Amino acid sequence: MGKLVVANNLTLTYENNPVIKSSNFTINSGDFVFLTGVSGSGKTTIIKSLYGELKPHSGNLRIGEFNLFNISKSKLSTLRKHLGIVFQDFKLIPEWNILKNVMLPLLIAGVNKNEAEQRAMEYLSRVKLSHKADKFPAELSGGEQQRAAIARATIHNPVMILADEPISGLDEYSASLVMDLFIKANQKGITIVIASHSIPTEFSINFRQLHIEKGKIYELA
Amino acid sequence: MSSLKSHFTLILALISILFSIFLFKTFSQILYKYKQNIIDNYSIVIVSTKQLSPNDVDNLGTLKQININNELKKLKQKYPNIDFSNITLPYFYKLKLNTLPSPKELENIKNELLNKPFIKKVMTKSSAQTKIYNLLMLLEIITKTFMYLIGILGFLLILKQLEVWKLLHNERMYIMELFGAPFWFRGAALFKIAFIDSLISLIITFILIIFVTNLTIFQKVINDLGINYQIDYLKDFGLLFVISFIISFISSILVVIGKK
Ligand SMILES: Nc1ncnc2c1ncn2[C@@H]1O[C@H](COP(=O)(O)OP(=O)(O)O)[C@@H](O)[C@H]1O
Ligand SMILES: [Mg+2]
């Protein structure tokens, strides 16, 4: 398995306030990774650095061929097209209906509208949201928005899915639907990184756990 | 998707800018034509003891000798007992000025000419046309000031529009960027709005222009000025078309670039 993400002496800060201090970790292609830690430990911070929203303060951070320390705007766009991100606050486009929201990565990839629509309907049915396709984000419950966001993050077969607390706040039904989607995606070879304060019980597949504590990242067996 | 109100500001701004540009242009052209018209009809009569060349009058304009043979004939008939062959008659010239002088400048020109020993008499008429012209000049200053104000107002309205657009579109453009959307994709909706707003403003401005220029008062003023002025609608509309699209596209591009 090739190394997809390599972090060396990575330090992440907000205005010189270090959150992650000189840490090392790697994520291999096809890994299913849980990024754990208490609230405020820096899970979201690491996810943000992985999609280039937060520039490393020092050290190295590479994803595939991209060096996130000095990535250009156009390369960042290219990288992001190959990621599927589930944000902690969903970030659905409020003035678009759910169907169009889910279509977004396909539209960006230049897939024609009809085909994108079909695929989006298919992915909506996977998260049991077909009946809400023409509703707007504000008309959906938190759990439903979460599921729509996950459909959007998986629809374009990304290389890696970054999901920030995708199941916290979900009821058991939604949570199992969502985890199922991630597992299916992983079986297709997609690398999964899930930030979560805990790992769901009864989790059947092989996974790795990277744990953040006091700004350092440890691999737990 | 976007409310009528969010269109309204840009459309209003564009219409006021476009319309004032049109008025500005039309007014300047009318004034220029009128000025040419006065110059063409305006002349100074000079009486001189010698033949004049343009150099003799400091190249102020073109000289044309007035033929006095007819007048002379009449005089001879009237006074048959005077022997005109013994009298050296002066030369009469019409001086057509290159530029239109103000009444004060005219006075200076007159004095300058009279200072020359060979010039005996200079006749000017303080024409009614120069008075109209001065009035028009005043009007021009007032309207130009007014149009600059409208232009500034339009500009401020557009700045306001940019703020509104930022509020309306920033979140969507930011989310699109997080998914790697290129510039044109993020801006597509805004570019579309800018295009539609430009088109609407242009149509309204054109209607306004056609209406105003076909008012009888407008036609009457032009007729009364005694000039031949035709509005080149195609050219004017073309100019406004280009200006309108440039303004609205620059505005929308600024919003897409300046997001966050
Ligand atoms: N935008 C920000 N500016 C300054 N500090 C921040 C910002 N975002 C997060 N932090 C701080 O960084 C630390 C880690 O936050 P975060 O990564 O969101 O934790 P987690 O996702 O594990 O709950 C927290 O102490 C938080 O207060
Ligand atoms: Mg978090």
Side-chain angles (χ1 to χ4, degrees):
Chain A
M1 287 272 171
K3 286 178 173 151
L4 183 61
V5 180
V6 179
N8 268 325
N9 290 322
L10 177 67
T11 298
L12 300 173
T13 64
Y14 292 106
E15 287 123 30
N16 286 326
N17 246 336
V19 176
I20 301 298
K21 297 164 201 161
S22 191
S23 293
N24 302 302
F25 66 91
T26 57
I27 296 170
N28 301 315
S29 283
D31 275 359
F32 197 117
V33 179
F34 279 100
L35 193 60
T36 57
V38 296
S39 170
S41 58
K43 302 182 293 293
T44 300
T45 304
I46 287 181
I47 298 274
K48 271 187 187 169
S49 74
L50 290 177
Y51 63 82
E53 177 81 340
L54 184 69
K55 196 185 152 195
H57 176 265
S58 60
N60 253 315
L61 180 60
R62 302 187 64 91
I63 300 181
E65 64 196 271
F66 301 104
N67 181 350
L68 289 233
F69 196 80
N70 51 16
I71 191 167
S72 69
K73 273 203 144 174
S74 69
K75 281 196 171 163
L76 185 58
S77 289
T78 310
L79 169 64
R80 284 174 172 177
K81 280 187 209 168
H82 293 103
L83 299 177
I85 314 167
V86 182
F87 302 93
Q88 204 165 358
D89 57 353
F90 321 133
K91 295 209 194 305
L92 295 169
I93 294 172
E95 65 268 30
W96 282 10
N97 67 21
I98 295 303
L99 180 69
K100 197 164 180 199
N101 263 290
V102 174
M103 284 161 67
L104 178 66
L106 296 181
L107 297 176
I108 291 172
V111 174
N112 81 56
K113 214 177 152 221
N114 284 337
E115 197 186 327
E117 225 169 87
Q118 263 179 11
R119 287 256 293 278
M121 279 313 293
E122 185 194 320
Y123 272 77
L124 278 177
S125 80
R126 289 191 196 180
V127 291
K128 307 280 181 284
L129 276 179
S130 309
H131 59 297
K132 303 270 168 130
D134 56 354
K135 292 267 186 288
F136 290 88
E139 299 173 292
L140 267 59
S141 75
E144 288 168 333
Q145 289 186 47
Q146 181 76 281
R147 277 144 57 196
I150 288 161
R152 179 180 63 177
T154 49
I155 191 167
H156 54 307
N157 281 323
V159 171
M160 175 163 66
I161 291 173
L162 305 170
D164 197 355
E165 313 249 6
I167 49 170
S168 51
L170 290 191
D171 56 86
E172 255 173 68
Y173 168 75
S174 292
S176 71
L177 267 180
V178 162
M179 285 316 295
D180 234 42
L181 266 180
F182 288 136
I183 291 168
K184 285 216 177 82
N186 186 239
Q187 281 162 354
K188 280 201 278 183
I190 297 173
T191 308
I192 312 283
V193 179
I194 295 176
S196 175
H197 61 279
S198 65
I199 294 170
T201 49
E202 294 175 40
F203 198 67
S204 54
I205 72 156
N206 275 335
F207 64 87
R208 290 173 59 202
Q209 182 181 4
L210 296 176
H211 187 71
I212 312 167
E213 207 174 313
K214 293 185 180 139
K216 289 282 187 183
I217 300 172
Y218 308 91
E219 171 120 31
L220 297 188
Chain B
M1 186 181 81
S2 37
S3 66
L4 199 71
K5 212 176 122 196
S6 78
H7 282 277
F8 185 71
T9 318
L10 181 66
I11 292 176
L12 189 71
L14 281 176
I15 290 175
S16 46
I17 290 174
L18 295 179
F19 194 65
S20 69
I21 288 173
F22 171 79
L23 286 182
F24 194 95
K25 191 168 168 276
T26 305
F27 202 85
S28 308
Q29 282 173 348
I30 288 177
L31 206 67
Y32 176 78
K33 280 225 162 186
Y34 185 69
K35 198 168 156 184
Q36 288 307 115
N37 193 34
I38 298 175
I39 293 171
D40 284 349
N41 294 320
Y42 194 89
S43 57
I44 297 173
V45 174
I46 298 173
V47 183
S48 160
T49 55
K50 66 163 198 168
Q51 290 239 341
L52 293 179
S53 71
N55 244 344
D56 295 323
V57 291
D58 306 332
N59 293 309
L60 287 166
T62 50
L63 279 171
K64 201 179 155 205
Q65 191 163 6
I66 300 170
N67 192 339
I68 53 166
N69 285 341
N70 280 339
E71 310 301 316
L72 207 56
K73 236 183 226 163
K74 280 182 205 156
L75 283 176
K76 281 177 181 167
Q77 278 166 4
K78 213 172 176 184
Y79 308 101
N81 34 4
I82 298 178
D83 182 9
F84 281 95
S85 56
N86 283 335
I87 302 170
T88 42
L89 285 169
Y91 299 90
F92 291 83
Y93 284 94
K94 223 180 203 176
L95 173 64
K96 222 174 221 186
L97 296 171
N98 291 329
T99 55
L100 190 75
S102 68
K104 200 173 170 194
E105 283 164 341
L106 189 64
E107 195 59 32
N108 289 340
I109 288 173
K110 192 175 169 181
N111 290 333
E112 201 181 306
L113 289 173
L114 282 173
N115 272 341
K116 300 182 191 299
F118 46 87
I119 291 180
K120 290 290 162 221
K121 209 169 158 90
V122 174
M123 285 171 280
T124 60
K125 49 176 188 222
S126 173
S127 126
Q129 280 175 318
T130 49
K131 282 179 193 150
I132 294 177
Y133 180 74
N134 286 338
L135 199 69
L136 282 178
M137 286 291 276
L138 186 70
L139 214 68
E140 190 189 19
I141 293 169
I142 293 169
T143 39
K144 279 194 175 170
T145 311
F146 189 65
M147 283 163 205
Y148 281 128
L149 284 178
I150 290 179
I152 291 168
L153 193 78
F155 180 72
L156 292 177
L157 276 176
I158 285 177
L159 287 186
K160 177 98 182 77
Q161 178 71 68
L162 296 187
E163 289 297 309
V164 173
W165 271 355
K166 265 186 193 161
L167 278 176
L168 281 175
H169 300 279
N170 245 11
E171 188 178 2
R172 189 189 63 247
M173 293 194 296
Y174 171 63
I175 294 171
M176 286 174 166
E177 197 177 15
L178 289 176
F179 282 86
F183 182 81
W184 59 266
F185 186 99
R186 280 178 274 142
L190 212 48
F191 298 150
K192 210 165 107 189
I193 292 174
F195 180 79
I196 292 171
D197 286 5
S198 289
L199 220 55
I200 294 173
S201 322
L202 279 168
I203 292 170
I204 295 176
T205 308
F206 291 169
I207 291 172
L208 213 60
I209 287 173
I210 290 171
F211 175 74
V212 167
T213 53
N214 280 297
L215 286 176
T216 37
I217 174 99
F218 184 85
Q219 301 287 351
K220 192 175 175 329
V221 166
I222 287 189
N223 284 338
D224 287 354
L225 288 174
I227 58 170
N228 175 23
Y229 183 71
Q230 286 290 331
I231 295 171
D232 189 346
Y233 286 106
L234 209 66
K235 202 171 143 203
D236 286 353
F237 286 2
L239 177 76
L240 297 184
F241 189 86
V242 171
I243 291 172
S244 171
F245 279 105
I246 288 177
I247 291 177
S248 56
F249 278 108
I250 286 179
S251 306
S252 51
I253 285 169
L254 282 179
V255 174
V256 184
I257 292 173
K259 55 98 197 73
K260 216 162 222 184

